Every structure is written in C-alpha cells, then in structure tokens.
PDB file of all heavy atoms in Angstrom:
ATOM      1  N   ALA A  91       0.841  -1.190   0.000  1.00 40.00           N
ATOM      2  CA  ALA A  91       0.000   0.000   0.000  1.00 40.00           C
ATOM      3  C   ALA A  91       0.871   1.233   0.000  1.00 40.00           C
ATOM      4  O   ALA A  91       2.055   1.187   0.294  1.00 40.00           O
ATOM      5  CB  ALA A  91      -0.920   0.005   1.219  1.00 40.00           C
ATOM      6  N   SER A  92       0.254   2.354  -0.315  1.00 38.00           N
ATOM      7  CA  SER A  92       0.998   3.609  -0.392  1.00 38.00           C
ATOM      8  C   SER A  92       1.824   3.846   0.861  1.00 38.00           C
ATOM      9  O   SER A  92       1.334   3.742   1.962  1.00 38.00           O
ATOM     10  CB  SER A  92       0.020   4.772  -0.582  1.00 38.00           C
ATOM     11  OG  SER A  92       0.683   5.999  -0.398  1.00 38.00           O
ATOM     12  N   ASP A  93       3.118   4.155   0.705  1.00 42.00           N
ATOM     13  CA  ASP A  93       3.961   4.455   1.868  1.00 42.00           C
ATOM     14  C   ASP A  93       4.167   5.950   2.014  1.00 42.00           C
ATOM     15  O   ASP A  93       5.082   6.406   2.653  1.00 42.00           O
ATOM     16  CB  ASP A  93       5.313   3.729   1.781  1.00 42.00           C
ATOM     17  CG  ASP A  93       6.117   4.109   0.555  1.00 42.00           C
ATOM     18  OD1 ASP A  93       5.662   5.013  -0.184  1.00 42.00           O
ATOM     19  OD2 ASP A  93       7.186   3.510   0.335  1.00 42.00           O
ATOM     20  N   THR A  94       3.277   6.724   1.416  1.00 39.00           N
ATOM     21  CA  THR A  94       3.373   8.177   1.526  1.00 39.00           C
ATOM     22  C   THR A  94       2.385   8.732   2.528  1.00 39.00           C
ATOM     23  O   THR A  94       2.385   9.924   2.806  1.00 39.00           O
ATOM     24  CB  THR A  94       3.098   8.841   0.156  1.00 39.00           C
ATOM     25  OG1 THR A  94       1.753   8.553  -0.220  1.00 39.00           O
ATOM     26  CG2 THR A  94       4.053   8.321  -0.909  1.00 39.00           C
ATOM     27  N   GLY A  95       1.532   7.864   3.075  1.00 40.00           N
ATOM     28  CA  GLY A  95       0.531   8.336   4.027  1.00 40.00           C
ATOM     29  C   GLY A  95      -0.705   8.891   3.349  1.00 40.00           C
ATOM     30  O   GLY A  95      -1.569   9.447   3.988  1.00 40.00           O
ATOM     31  N   LYS A  96      -0.825   8.716   2.022  1.00 41.00           N
ATOM     32  CA  LYS A  96      -1.968   9.237   1.290  1.00 41.00           C
ATOM     33  C   LYS A  96      -2.718   8.076   0.665  1.00 41.00           C
ATOM     34  O   LYS A  96      -2.221   6.966   0.526  1.00 41.00           O
ATOM     35  CB  LYS A  96      -1.508  10.213   0.213  1.00 41.00           C
ATOM     36  CG  LYS A  96      -0.750  11.426   0.767  1.00 41.00           C
ATOM     37  CD  LYS A  96      -0.266  12.317  -0.344  1.00 41.00           C
ATOM     38  CE  LYS A  96       0.528  13.508   0.194  1.00 41.00           C
ATOM     39  NZ  LYS A  96       1.023  14.373  -0.867  1.00 41.00           N
ATOM     40  N   GLY A  97      -3.935   8.351   0.242  1.00 39.00           N
ATOM     41  CA  GLY A  97      -4.694   7.342  -0.460  1.00 39.00           C
ATOM     42  C   GLY A  97      -5.440   6.424   0.483  1.00 39.00           C
ATOM     43  O   GLY A  97      -5.594   6.668   1.666  1.00 39.00           O
ATOM     44  N   ASP A  98      -5.948   5.311  -0.068  1.00 44.00           N
ATOM     45  CA  ASP A  98      -6.750   4.356   0.683  1.00 44.00           C
ATOM     46  C   ASP A  98      -5.841   3.434   1.472  1.00 44.00           C
ATOM     47  O   ASP A  98      -5.371   2.419   0.966  1.00 44.00           O
ATOM     48  CB  ASP A  98      -7.624   3.576  -0.302  1.00 44.00           C
ATOM     49  CG  ASP A  98      -8.588   2.648   0.411  1.00 44.00           C
ATOM     50  OD1 ASP A  98      -8.742   2.809   1.626  1.00 44.00           O
ATOM     51  OD2 ASP A  98      -9.154   1.772  -0.264  1.00 44.00           O
ATOM     52  N   ASP A  99      -5.596   3.773   2.718  1.00 64.00           N
ATOM     53  CA  ASP A  99      -4.655   3.030   3.550  1.00 64.00           C
ATOM     54  C   ASP A  99      -5.299   2.816   4.914  1.00 64.00           C
ATOM     55  O   ASP A  99      -5.397   3.739   5.719  1.00 64.00           O
ATOM     56  CB  ASP A  99      -3.347   3.817   3.679  1.00 64.00           C
ATOM     57  CG  ASP A  99      -2.283   3.056   4.461  1.00 64.00           C
ATOM     58  OD1 ASP A  99      -2.625   2.004   5.050  1.00 64.00           O
ATOM     59  OD2 ASP A  99      -1.138   3.514   4.494  1.00 64.00           O
ATOM     60  N   ALA A 100      -5.753   1.581   5.182  1.00 67.00           N
ATOM     61  CA  ALA A 100      -6.484   1.303   6.420  1.00 67.00           C
ATOM     62  C   ALA A 100      -5.616   1.418   7.658  1.00 67.00           C
ATOM     63  O   ALA A 100      -6.130   1.516   8.767  1.00 67.00           O
ATOM     64  CB  ALA A 100      -7.105  -0.090   6.347  1.00 67.00           C
ATOM     65  N   LEU A 101      -4.292   1.396   7.514  1.00 71.00           N
ATOM     66  CA  LEU A 101      -3.405   1.519   8.667  1.00 71.00           C
ATOM     67  C   LEU A 101      -3.074   2.966   8.993  1.00 71.00           C
ATOM     68  O   LEU A 101      -2.517   3.251  10.047  1.00 71.00           O
ATOM     69  CB  LEU A 101      -2.098   0.744   8.433  1.00 71.00           C
ATOM     70  CG  LEU A 101      -2.200  -0.771   8.365  1.00 71.00           C
ATOM     71  CD1 LEU A 101      -0.828  -1.394   8.304  1.00 71.00           C
ATOM     72  CD2 LEU A 101      -2.975  -1.320   9.543  1.00 71.00           C
ATOM     73  N   GLN A 102      -3.383   3.885   8.073  1.00 66.00           N
ATOM     74  CA  GLN A 102      -3.044   5.283   8.289  1.00 66.00           C
ATOM     75  C   GLN A 102      -4.063   5.924   9.233  1.00 66.00           C
ATOM     76  O   GLN A 102      -5.271   5.839   9.019  1.00 66.00           O
ATOM     77  CB  GLN A 102      -3.031   6.036   6.965  1.00 66.00           C
ATOM     78  CG  GLN A 102      -2.689   7.499   7.088  1.00 66.00           C
ATOM     79  CD  GLN A 102      -1.291   7.719   7.634  1.00 66.00           C
ATOM     80  OE1 GLN A 102      -0.387   6.959   7.329  1.00 66.00           O
ATOM     81  NE2 GLN A 102      -1.124   8.729   8.434  1.00 66.00           N
ATOM     82  N   ILE A 103      -3.559   6.554  10.318  1.00 67.00           N
ATOM     83  CA  ILE A 103      -4.455   7.156  11.304  1.00 67.00           C
ATOM     84  C   ILE A 103      -4.660   8.644  11.031  1.00 67.00           C
ATOM     85  O   ILE A 103      -5.775   9.146  11.020  1.00 67.00           O
ATOM     86  CB  ILE A 103      -3.891   6.957  12.726  1.00 67.00           C
ATOM     87  CG1 ILE A 103      -3.788   5.462  13.041  1.00 67.00           C
ATOM     88  CG2 ILE A 103      -4.765   7.639  13.760  1.00 67.00           C
ATOM     89  CD1 ILE A 103      -3.164   5.163  14.374  1.00 67.00           C
ATOM     90  N   VAL A 104      -3.562   9.368  10.827  1.00 67.00           N
ATOM     91  CA  VAL A 104      -3.622  10.805  10.569  1.00 67.00           C
ATOM     92  C   VAL A 104      -2.752  11.110   9.360  1.00 67.00           C
ATOM     93  O   VAL A 104      -1.918  10.308   8.945  1.00 67.00           O
ATOM     94  CB  VAL A 104      -3.137  11.628  11.791  1.00 67.00           C
ATOM     95  CG1 VAL A 104      -4.063  11.413  12.973  1.00 67.00           C
ATOM     96  CG2 VAL A 104      -1.714  11.264  12.156  1.00 67.00           C
ATOM     97  N   ALA A 105      -2.949  12.309   8.813  1.00 68.00           N
ATOM     98  CA  ALA A 105      -2.211  12.669   7.603  1.00 68.00           C
ATOM     99  C   ALA A 105      -0.717  12.795   7.847  1.00 68.00           C
ATOM    100  O   ALA A 105       0.096  12.425   7.016  1.00 68.00           O
ATOM    101  CB  ALA A 105      -2.770  13.978   7.039  1.00 68.00           C
ATOM    102  N   ASN A 106      -0.350  13.317   9.018  1.00 76.00           N
ATOM    103  CA  ASN A 106       1.063  13.516   9.331  1.00 76.00           C
ATOM    104  C   ASN A 106       1.377  12.832  10.659  1.00 76.00           C
ATOM    105  O   ASN A 106       1.380  13.468  11.716  1.00 76.00           O
ATOM    106  CB  ASN A 106       1.380  15.011   9.407  1.00 76.00           C
ATOM    107  CG  ASN A 106       1.144  15.714   8.083  1.00 76.00           C
ATOM    108  OD1 ASN A 106       1.808  15.430   7.100  1.00 76.00           O
ATOM    109  ND2 ASN A 106       0.173  16.622   8.065  1.00 76.00           N
ATOM    110  N   PRO A 107       1.644  11.541  10.631  1.00 90.00           N
ATOM    111  CA  PRO A 107       1.822  10.792  11.875  1.00 90.00           C
ATOM    112  C   PRO A 107       3.068  11.205  12.643  1.00 90.00           C
ATOM    113  O   PRO A 107       4.087  11.577  12.062  1.00 90.00           O
ATOM    114  CB  PRO A 107       1.932   9.340  11.398  1.00 90.00           C
ATOM    115  CG  PRO A 107       2.418   9.433   9.992  1.00 90.00           C
ATOM    116  CD  PRO A 107       1.800  10.687   9.441  1.00 90.00           C
ATOM    117  N   VAL A 108       2.962  11.138  13.960  1.00 94.00           N
ATOM    118  CA  VAL A 108       4.076  11.400  14.874  1.00 94.00           C
ATOM    119  C   VAL A 108       4.187  10.209  15.812  1.00 94.00           C
ATOM    120  O   VAL A 108       3.185   9.755  16.366  1.00 94.00           O
ATOM    121  CB  VAL A 108       3.843  12.701  15.682  1.00 94.00           C
ATOM    122  CG1 VAL A 108       4.959  12.910  16.692  1.00 94.00           C
ATOM    123  CG2 VAL A 108       3.728  13.897  14.748  1.00 94.00           C
ATOM    124  N   ALA A 109       5.388   9.687  15.990  1.00 96.00           N
ATOM    125  CA  ALA A 109       5.578   8.522  16.830  1.00 96.00           C
ATOM    126  C   ALA A 109       5.235   8.849  18.282  1.00 96.00           C
ATOM    127  O   ALA A 109       5.569   9.917  18.799  1.00 96.00           O
ATOM    128  CB  ALA A 109       7.015   8.030  16.732  1.00 96.00           C
ATOM    129  N   ALA A 110       4.562   7.925  18.935  1.00 96.00           N
ATOM    130  CA  ALA A 110       4.244   8.086  20.350  1.00 96.00           C
ATOM    131  C   ALA A 110       5.509   7.963  21.195  1.00 96.00           C
ATOM    132  O   ALA A 110       6.460   7.270  20.809  1.00 96.00           O
ATOM    133  CB  ALA A 110       3.226   7.036  20.785  1.00 96.00           C
ATOM    134  N   THR A 111       5.520   8.633  22.324  1.00 97.00           N
ATOM    135  CA  THR A 111       6.643   8.579  23.260  1.00 97.00           C
ATOM    136  C   THR A 111       6.107   8.315  24.661  1.00 97.00           C
ATOM    137  O   THR A 111       4.893   8.282  24.881  1.00 97.00           O
ATOM    138  CB  THR A 111       7.447   9.888  23.246  1.00 97.00           C
ATOM    139  OG1 THR A 111       6.560  10.984  23.551  1.00 97.00           O
ATOM    140  CG2 THR A 111       8.080  10.138  21.884  1.00 97.00           C
ATOM    141  N   ALA A 112       7.017   8.156  25.608  1.00 98.00           N
ATOM    142  CA  ALA A 112       6.601   7.909  26.990  1.00 98.00           C
ATOM    143  C   ALA A 112       5.939   9.142  27.580  1.00 98.00           C
ATOM    144  O   ALA A 112       6.402  10.276  27.385  1.00 98.00           O
ATOM    145  CB  ALA A 112       7.813   7.514  27.829  1.00 98.00           C
ATOM    146  N   ALA A 113       4.866   8.932  28.323  1.00 98.00           N
ATOM    147  CA  ALA A 113       4.239  10.031  29.057  1.00 98.00           C
ATOM    148  C   ALA A 113       5.203  10.556  30.111  1.00 98.00           C
ATOM    149  O   ALA A 113       5.948   9.795  30.729  1.00 98.00           O
ATOM    150  CB  ALA A 113       2.953   9.544  29.723  1.00 98.00           C
ATOM    151  N   LEU A 114       5.218  11.863  30.301  1.00 98.00           N
ATOM    152  CA  LEU A 114       6.086  12.457  31.306  1.00 98.00           C
ATOM    153  C   LEU A 114       5.609  12.080  32.705  1.00 98.00           C
ATOM    154  O   LEU A 114       4.412  12.073  32.991  1.00 98.00           O
ATOM    155  CB  LEU A 114       6.119  13.976  31.159  1.00 98.00           C
ATOM    156  CG  LEU A 114       6.780  14.517  29.883  1.00 98.00           C
ATOM    157  CD1 LEU A 114       6.705  16.036  29.852  1.00 98.00           C
ATOM    158  CD2 LEU A 114       8.218  14.046  29.771  1.00 98.00           C
ATOM    159  N   SER A 115       6.560  11.762  33.558  1.00 98.00           N
ATOM    160  CA  SER A 115       6.224  11.324  34.911  1.00 98.00           C
ATOM    161  C   SER A 115       6.077  12.502  35.857  1.00 98.00           C
ATOM    162  O   SER A 115       6.863  13.456  35.805  1.00 98.00           O
ATOM    163  CB  SER A 115       7.311  10.392  35.453  1.00 98.00           C
ATOM    164  OG  SER A 115       7.366   9.198  34.721  1.00 98.00           O
ATOM    165  N   PRO A 116       5.119  12.427  36.756  1.00 97.00           N
ATOM    166  CA  PRO A 116       5.010  13.432  37.809  1.00 97.00           C
ATOM    167  C   PRO A 116       6.028  13.131  38.912  1.00 97.00           C
ATOM    168  O   PRO A 116       6.727  12.118  38.882  1.00 97.00           O
ATOM    169  CB  PRO A 116       3.584  13.244  38.320  1.00 97.00           C
ATOM    170  CG  PRO A 116       3.332  11.775  38.124  1.00 97.00           C
ATOM    171  CD  PRO A 116       4.054  11.415  36.847  1.00 97.00           C
ATOM    172  N   THR A 117       6.100  14.003  39.899  1.00 95.00           N
ATOM    173  CA  THR A 117       6.906  13.706  41.081  1.00 95.00           C
ATOM    174  C   THR A 117       6.334  12.457  41.744  1.00 95.00           C
ATOM    175  O   THR A 117       5.126  12.356  41.932  1.00 95.00           O
ATOM    176  CB  THR A 117       6.859  14.887  42.071  1.00 95.00           C
ATOM    177  OG1 THR A 117       7.375  16.047  41.428  1.00 95.00           O
ATOM    178  CG2 THR A 117       7.676  14.581  43.314  1.00 95.00           C
ATOM    179  N   PRO A 118       7.181  11.471  42.069  1.00 93.00           N
ATOM    180  CA  PRO A 118       6.662  10.228  42.653  1.00 93.00           C
ATOM    181  C   PRO A 118       5.828  10.470  43.908  1.00 93.00           C
ATOM    182  O   PRO A 118       6.201  11.260  44.784  1.00 93.00           O
ATOM    183  CB  PRO A 118       7.934   9.438  42.972  1.00 93.00           C
ATOM    184  CG  PRO A 118       8.950   9.947  42.000  1.00 93.00           C
ATOM    185  CD  PRO A 118       8.642  11.406  41.847  1.00 93.00           C
ATOM    186  N   ALA A 119       4.705   9.780  43.991  1.00 92.00           N
ATOM    187  CA  ALA A 119       3.821   9.915  45.147  1.00 92.00           C
ATOM    188  C   ALA A 119       4.197   8.952  46.259  1.00 92.00           C
ATOM    189  O   ALA A 119       3.732   9.096  47.389  1.00 92.00           O
ATOM    190  CB  ALA A 119       2.378   9.663  44.711  1.00 92.00           C
ATOM    191  N   ALA A 120       5.034   7.956  45.943  1.00 96.00           N
ATOM    192  CA  ALA A 120       5.436   6.959  46.938  1.00 96.00           C
ATOM    193  C   ALA A 120       6.898   6.606  46.692  1.00 96.00           C
ATOM    194  O   ALA A 120       7.386   6.698  45.562  1.00 96.00           O
ATOM    195  CB  ALA A 120       4.560   5.721  46.827  1.00 96.00           C
ATOM    196  N   PRO A 121       7.621   6.204  47.732  1.00 97.00           N
ATOM    197  CA  PRO A 121       9.009   5.796  47.531  1.00 97.00           C
ATOM    198  C   PRO A 121       9.067   4.532  46.682  1.00 97.00           C
ATOM    199  O   PRO A 121       8.166   3.688  46.755  1.00 97.00           O
ATOM    200  CB  PRO A 121       9.517   5.535  48.947  1.00 97.00           C
ATOM    201  CG  PRO A 121       8.290   5.283  49.762  1.00 97.00           C
ATOM    202  CD  PRO A 121       7.211   6.113  49.141  1.00 97.00           C
ATOM    203  N   PRO A 122      10.100   4.379  45.853  1.00 98.00           N
ATOM    204  CA  PRO A 122      10.182   3.193  45.003  1.00 98.00           C
ATOM    205  C   PRO A 122      10.346   1.914  45.815  1.00 98.00           C
ATOM    206  O   PRO A 122      11.000   1.903  46.861  1.00 98.00           O
ATOM    207  CB  PRO A 122      11.419   3.460  44.134  1.00 98.00           C
ATOM    208  CG  PRO A 122      12.217   4.472  44.898  1.00 98.00           C
ATOM    209  CD  PRO A 122      11.230   5.303  45.646  1.00 98.00           C
TER     210      PRO A 122
END
C-alpha cells in the first residue's frame, strides 16, 4: 500500500503521523 501516508490506507491514522513517546512522569507519590 501507499507508503506516503496518502490514499486508501487502512493503517493510516492521521495525515502527518508522529511517533508516540513515553508520558512524562510526575513527582513520585510513593518511595520506590
């Protein structure tokens, strides 16, 4: 299928995909 992110592509979610990353952690609420 198209590897440009255009056209009929059932795996394409958005027009300009951005890779997911880890959510930023808050200050720990409990000691490790």
Side-chain angles (χ1 to χ4, degrees):
S92 169
D93 60 5
T94 64
K96 300 177 182 179
D98 185 13
D99 184 351
L101 293 187
Q102 180 63 36
I103 299 176
V104 296
N106 298 296
V108 176
T111 57
L114 293 178
S115 294
T117 300

